[in-house]
Amino acid sequence: MSSISLAADRAVDRPTAKRLWITAAVAVAAGAAIFGLAFWTEVTRAVGVWEESTAYNHCFLIIPITAYLIWERR
């Protein structure tokens, strides 16, 4: 790649980039919702274990930490 093509790639305007992020976020949320509905029994049992067991309480931190890392990588 030349420096000209790299400059052109970075020239995406903010509304377009924002629209792409919103589209990606909606797709991820929809996928997570479908996954959660398909495995509802397993999800509720996993959350029950996380609530009751002191060994697995840290599992509640996985989603916020993942969201933070994704936000930092954007």
Side-chain angles (χ1 to χ4, degrees):
M1 293 179 95
S2 68
S3 61
I4 295 172
S5 64
L6 287 175
D9 289 342
R10 291 184 184 146
V12 176
D13 60 343
R14 291 212 184 261
T16 302
K18 185 176 181 179
R19 191 174 334 119
L20 290 173
W21 271 103
I22 291 172
T23 303
V26 168
V28 168
I34 291 169
F35 184 81
L37 289 173
F39 296 101
W40 182 253
T41 304
E42 290 81 3
V43 170
T44 55
R45 288 183 183 170
V47 171
V49 169
W50 296 350
E51 288 177 343
E52 295 172 8
S53 173
T54 58
Y56 294 105
N57 279 341
H58 68 280
C59 292
F60 285 112
L61 296 175
I62 292 172
I63 294 174
I65 290 172
T66 303
Y68 172 76
L69 292 173
I70 291 170
W71 180 257
E72 285 294 313
R73 286 283 188 148
R74 65 178 164 81

